Amino acid sequence: MFMFHLSKYRRSAFTLAVVLPLAGALASQGVASGQPVTAAHARTASGSATKWTKISTNTNLSIASAGLSRTADGRLHVVWASRDGLTFSMHYSTVGGRAKLLNTGTIVKHWAGISSYPMLVSGPGKGLRLIFTGGNGVSNSPFDTGAMYTATATPAGTSWKLVTGSLSQSKLVPLTNTTAATRSDGTPVAAWSTFSALGYHVGVDPNIPASAPDQSFGVGAGDELVTPTVIRAKNGAILGAWFNGSGQADQGYYVAQILPAKAAAVKAPSSGGKNVGNNQNLQPVAFTARAGGREYLAYCVPTKFLNCAHIDLWRVGAAKAMTVPGSSSANGSGLFVAIAASPGGHLWVLWVNTRTNKIEVVRTNAAVTSFGSVRTLSSPAHLAEFQGLQAQGSAGPLDVIALALQNGSTSGPGYFDTQLLPALRIRASKSSVPNGRTTTITFTVQDTGDRVSGATVKFLGVTKKTGSKGMVTFTIKKGTAKGKHLVTATKNGFSAASLTIKVT
């Protein structure tokens, strides 16, 4: 019988040792029964429908986070854990365009314990690698040690193989508070909280547990490192971010380089301290590498009485952070802050507004110096409570992954996906023109303030494409009919924009 750590941290982090029964066996891969392909419709603030697709069964796990990775074909792969009575299983779901569920199945099943924070990174042959911990409950099995294991799949993500090998020498890897990334050469790096340090291991050791020692980044004996996230920076370095829940002056969010060499941890501005609210994110820290360079952290800023007075977006190393628009609240209603990088350098920041029970989403410009309009997503139908929020935007569209408990559910929350497109905006040099003479109007198409080339603009029956500066000019001939005339801008991968020009 083995003992595993389950780190629970709802507002106060502590360690719960769970003794797991010797039950269950390694499962062969297969398609899960009752594959959920359902959708719930809600209304956004703009009046358009938000389509949520349920991409998992109910998991019976409330403290959980899915593993996300996108393959070269644009498909999003989601790995998630479930509790099945007294045992646990690990499953996969494959999501295509418009949040369509393409495949779902089981990787391993009926384990005595399994990670509720599975990590999904790129794998051999442009495929996928799952990194997770737990134990199958089989005496003398190499997969019953509590170490960090791995499984790999082809790019399709529907055929998984459990690998004989380990990414930890430790046999006390927690079932939560784990994370992973890959180095530039594809070598996986697994990391986890040891509460006073970030433990990590580089590469897959052929032994279980690994014969090579783990490494460690200490934060202090009296401190409490929770909800870590590790990423690879553009220069190839591996950075970790975490929340320190010490309750003292050093409480707050930190970032540090751990590979190829350790560097001192840096605290995010206004991210916490003594005698302020506990602004722990209750899920992995919202930390990402921006396409084009630099790393960014999003987090709640606390006050004495509020856990989340507003949300800040911080470029690591900057003296100040940017306040995320729409995130300020008189009652500290922000929760489950998430972040995702997008092509071209844009970032998405999103969070659950617990006052309205809706998700708020905002996109930055490419230089991350300004924000676009806040978009509000209503919740899946019959929602009782959000219990987690993640996002993935590397292909352009943003997949929003929500862990949500629905009314009447007796088996815990399930994972839902909706997909957002970046929103085009169109501006006109004139809002009205006279019909008594020939004149011109220049239209500029933008994405969060950045000009968009190659957009299709239609006006008065004529179609043109924007140039490198995102601009296109139309001629309005003398005698054009009076009234309001619609102009539209479209481009693949974006939601359309429109406005009207008045001819007087």
Side-chain angles (χ1 to χ4, degrees):
M1 183 177 294
F2 289 90
M3 185 173 289
F4 298 93
H5 278 314
L6 174 61
S7 169
K8 301 194 69 165
Y9 52 86
R10 293 284 177 182
R11 289 297 173 206
S12 178
F14 61 91
T15 304
L16 173 64
V18 180
V19 179
L20 300 168
L22 294 176
L26 177 65
S28 61
Q29 54 218 348
V31 176
S33 61
Q35 296 182 3
V37 190
T38 62
H41 288 80
R43 307 295 294 179
T44 67
S46 63
S48 59
T50 298
K51 179 182 179 182
W52 287 97
T53 302
K54 191 174 184 182
I55 61 171
S56 78
T57 58
N58 290 351
T59 64
N60 216 2
L61 290 172
S62 59
I63 300 177
S65 177
L68 306 178
S69 184
R70 197 179 299 276
T71 44
D73 58 7
R75 293 180 175 183
L76 179 65
H77 302 268
V78 184
V79 171
W80 47 279
S82 71
R83 184 174 68 189
D84 316 305
L86 296 178
T87 63
F88 300 80
S89 301
M90 192 71 74
H91 312 273
Y92 68 84
S93 297
T94 308
V95 182
R98 299 183 180 179
K100 182 179 180 181
L101 181 61
L102 303 176
N103 295 292
T104 186
T106 301
I107 301 172
V108 295
K109 63 181 179 181
H110 301 326
W111 279 38
I114 210 161
S115 174
S116 57
Y117 274 33
M119 296 145 286
L120 200 56
V121 297
S122 57
K126 299 182 179 180
L128 298 163
R129 180 184 297 278
L130 166 65
I131 300 173
F132 68 109
T133 186
N136 62 8
V138 178
S139 295
N140 301 317
S141 167
F143 300 105
D144 196 38
T145 64
M148 197 75 88
Y149 315 115
T150 183
T152 58
T154 63
T158 56
S159 179
W160 288 87
K161 179 181 179 182
L162 196 57
V163 175
T164 301
S166 176
L167 287 99
S168 78
Q169 191 177 70
S170 172
K171 296 188 288 185
L172 291 173
V173 177
L175 297 180
T176 62
N177 285 298
T178 54
T179 180
T182 58
R183 305 193 74 169
S184 299
D185 62 0
T187 301
V189 178
W192 58 93
S193 170
T194 66
F195 297 99
S196 61
L198 180 71
Y200 57 99
H201 192 98
V202 181
V204 180
D205 191 296
N207 302 294
I208 305 178
S211 57
D214 302 327
Q215 301 182 57
S216 180
F217 190 102
V219 298
D223 293 331
E224 189 174 57
L225 185 154
V226 291
T227 60
T229 298
V230 294
I231 63 171
R232 184 178 76 239
K234 185 180 180 181
N235 65 3
I238 301 296
L239 284 72
W242 60 85
F243 179 78
N244 184 344
S246 67
Q248 303 302 312
D250 60 352
Q251 179 165 298
Y253 288 89
Y254 291 80
V255 174
Q257 178 179 300
I258 61 173
L259 293 168
K262 298 176 185 177
V266 180
K267 186 179 181 180
S270 304
S271 67
K274 191 175 182 178
N275 299 323
V276 297
N278 186 330
N279 58 325
Q280 185 183 345
N281 200 31
L282 306 184
Q283 63 178 27
V285 169
F287 185 44
T288 193
R290 170 181 167 270
R294 308 309 295 257
E295 301 78 46
Y296 287 80
L297 181 72
Y299 54 92
C300 277
V301 173
T303 65
K304 184 176 181 179
F305 301 106
L306 298 177
N307 295 325
C308 193
H310 66 268
I311 295 168
D312 270 359
L313 177 63
W314 179 53
R315 176 174 57 80
V316 174
K320 296 182 178 180
M322 302 168 61
T323 298
V324 177
S327 67
S328 299
S329 174
N331 57 5
S333 59
L335 189 62
F336 300 127
V337 180
I339 193 170
S342 186
H346 298 267
L347 298 176
W348 300 84
V349 180
L350 55 163
W351 63 97
V352 172
N353 185 326
T354 58
R355 180 177 56 84
T356 62
N357 210 29
K358 300 179 188 298
I359 295 171
E360 311 284 358
V361 185
V362 66
R363 178 175 164 90
T364 73
N365 63 345
V368 196
T369 56
S370 64
F371 296 90
S373 300
V374 178
R375 300 163 72 174
T376 300
L377 305 181
S378 294
S379 56
H382 312 300
L383 176 81
E385 177 185 306
F386 282 111
Q387 298 193 349
L389 181 66
Q390 297 171 261
Q392 217 286 346
S394 62
L398 181 72
D399 279 274
V400 179
I401 308 295
L403 183 62
L405 179 67
Q406 291 183 289
N407 290 323
S409 172
T410 59
S411 55
Y415 288 96
F416 293 79
D417 183 16
T418 192
Q419 208 168 79
L420 296 182
L421 296 177
L424 293 178
R425 294 290 182 266
I426 185 168
R427 299 180 183 275
S429 59
K430 301 180 182 73
S431 60
S432 66
V433 295
N435 80 332
R437 67 175 185 268
T438 297
T439 188
T440 61
I441 293 183
T442 298
F443 298 107
T444 304
V445 180
Q446 297 176 318
D447 167 18
T448 326
D450 297 315
R451 298 187 178 191
V452 177
S453 63
T456 299
V457 180
K458 295 183 178 181
F459 181 53
L460 294 174
V462 178
T463 299
K464 295 185 178 182
K465 286 195 178 283
T466 57
S468 60
K469 295 184 178 180
M471 302 170 70
V472 64
T473 298
F474 284 79
T475 299
I476 296 90
K477 296 179 181 180
K478 180 180 178 180
T480 297
K482 293 182 179 181
K484 293 181 178 179
H485 297 269
L486 182 69
V487 54
T488 62
T490 59
K491 186 174 181 178
N492 187 38
F494 293 82
S495 60
S498 65
L499 56 77
T500 57
I501 300 298
K502 188 176 182 179
V503 177
T504 61

